[in-house]
Amino acid sequence: MNNQKGVVFPMVMIVASVFIMFTILMIDQFVIDKKFYKEVEETLVADHLVHLAVNEVTAGWGEDIPKNLQGDISYPNGDVHYILTKQDARYAFIEFASSTKDNRVGRIIIQYDKELGRVVEWIEKQSV
């Protein structure tokens, strides 16, 4: 027993240090992943709110679109504000802006074709 000359303690310290560093690295990675998934979730919720509002606002339209079209729609996960930005004989451009409960903003502009009675273009805008 006396011939070990202190080899076990340094080996235990090295193995313990590697284990502790690995654990700290994994905790740090978990925190980063959790923040990323929260951001993705909020973006998807904002996008989903806009999709719901577009379907709700354009339902039942034909060629008759109100001249002063604007309003707000409230959903359990956030609110959507919409406004008619431009209208001509065939197309109408409506801007939708959603905001979630955690203040994530999503903005789009749709191009609605009155003759076809449906959305023909979907333009996503960068939120500031």
Side-chain angles (χ1 to χ4, degrees):
M1 287 269 190
N2 291 335
N3 61 357
Q4 292 179 2
K5 301 208 190 265
V7 173
V8 174
F9 183 69
M11 291 301 286
V12 168
M13 291 302 290
I14 291 171
V15 170
S17 297
V18 168
F19 179 73
I20 289 171
M21 287 188 332
F22 180 74
T23 303
I24 291 172
L25 178 70
M26 297 309 329
I27 290 171
D28 187 47
Q29 187 65 40
F30 173 74
V31 169
I32 291 171
D33 287 347
K34 187 175 177 183
K35 288 179 185 176
F36 172 74
Y37 288 131
K38 184 65 177 169
E39 291 291 320
V40 169
E41 177 188 6
E42 284 299 312
T43 303
L44 290 174
V45 167
D47 189 47
H48 185 68
L49 289 174
V50 169
H51 281 271
L52 288 173
V54 167
N55 288 338
E56 188 172 324
V57 169
T58 60
W61 280 357
E63 295 182 8
D64 301 329
I65 297 176
K67 297 288 183 200
N68 295 332
L69 177 70
Q70 72 178 41
D72 293 308
I73 302 174
S74 293
Y75 295 106
N77 292 333
D79 302 318
V80 179
H81 176 73
Y82 59 92
I83 186 167
L84 178 68
T85 56
K86 187 170 100 173
Q87 184 172 197
D88 58 20
R90 181 169 179 174
Y91 298 108
F93 293 89
I94 303 124
E95 182 174 346
F96 290 84
S98 68
S99 81
T100 64
K101 298 290 183 188
D102 293 332
N103 296 324
R104 172 68 63 187
V105 176
R107 294 178 56 206
I108 62 137
I109 295 178
I110 63 166
Q111 181 181 1
Y112 185 82
D113 190 334
K114 296 177 192 177
E115 292 178 5
L116 296 176
R118 64 182 176 93
V119 176
V120 291
E121 190 170 0
W122 185 283
I123 306 163
E124 294 193 20
K125 296 181 77 175
Q126 293 292 328
S127 52
V128 178

